[in-house]
Amino acid sequence: MNRLALAFSLSLFLFFNLSTNAQDNETSGDDASAVRTTVTNYIEAYYTGNAALMERTIHPHYHKHKIHGNIAIREQTGAQLVQAARSGEGTHLTEAARTEQVTVLDMAGNIASAKLVTPGWTDYMTLSKLNGEWKILSVVQRIDD
């Protein structure tokens, strides 16, 4: 193969490889934004007692572990979480206490991890893409004292 053909082949390889990487990064950015939105909707549903929104954010196999000091670890199913939202469990919080910081920690294909920090607790979440939508699959929550 002569130098010109080799240079042309290398140029095509680099062009298509860089284009593919740019496309992957864009998709990843879109997915990261969707993950962030899902987590934000989750906490806003809790704060406002919006059971329908809560139900849309969680995976059918949702499960939560709550860790609070020396208290035994408590568990919560998706159905229990939706009922907690429906009963207004989070609505007693003042507007000042209804803040959140969402960080997307990592993404790999159709799974992601995120961190949600509020004034009273921190949630570490695993999300899964289900039928094209990000859903919260599991949560480990540390409740502050």
Side-chain angles (χ1 to χ4, degrees):
M1 182 181 265
N2 68 32
R3 287 185 186 167
L4 183 57
L6 183 59
F8 180 72
S9 296
L10 183 58
S11 297
L12 283 177
F13 171 76
L14 290 173
F15 172 77
F16 285 112
N17 193 36
L18 291 175
S19 295
T20 301
N21 287 341
Q23 185 177 16
D24 289 345
N25 288 341
E26 183 178 318
T27 301
S28 179
D30 291 346
D31 278 341
S33 178
V35 165
R36 193 172 290 104
T37 298
T38 299
V39 174
T40 300
N41 286 344
Y42 171 88
I43 190 62
E44 291 299 322
Y46 180 73
Y47 286 155
T48 62
N50 188 333
L53 179 59
M54 181 64 78
E55 196 164 26
R56 287 193 303 270
T57 68
I58 61 173
H59 192 279
H61 296 285
Y62 175 92
H63 196 85
K64 182 180 207 171
H65 290 89
K66 299 178 181 185
I67 300 169
H68 185 186
N70 293 328
I71 299 170
I73 293 176
R74 293 169 288 152
E75 298 181 15
Q76 186 176 41
T77 66
Q80 291 168 331
L81 177 66
V82 171
Q83 181 54 41
R86 184 174 288 113
S87 67
E89 187 176 290
T91 60
H92 72 283
L93 297 168
T94 65
E95 285 294 320
R98 293 182 187 188
T99 63
E100 69 270 350
Q101 179 183 358
V102 177
T103 306
V104 177
L105 301 172
D106 196 14
M107 302 188 72
N110 64 349
I111 61 171
S113 62
K115 180 180 179 182
L116 168 66
V117 178
T118 74
W121 63 88
T122 300
D123 288 348
Y124 285 92
M125 304 176 158
T126 304
L127 295 91
S128 178
K129 202 172 201 181
L130 179 66
N131 299 323
E133 294 182 344
W134 287 99
K135 304 289 182 178
I136 299 168
L137 178 62
S138 63
V139 176
V140 176
Q141 180 182 69
R142 187 204 73 221
I143 300 170
D144 299 331
D145 287 322

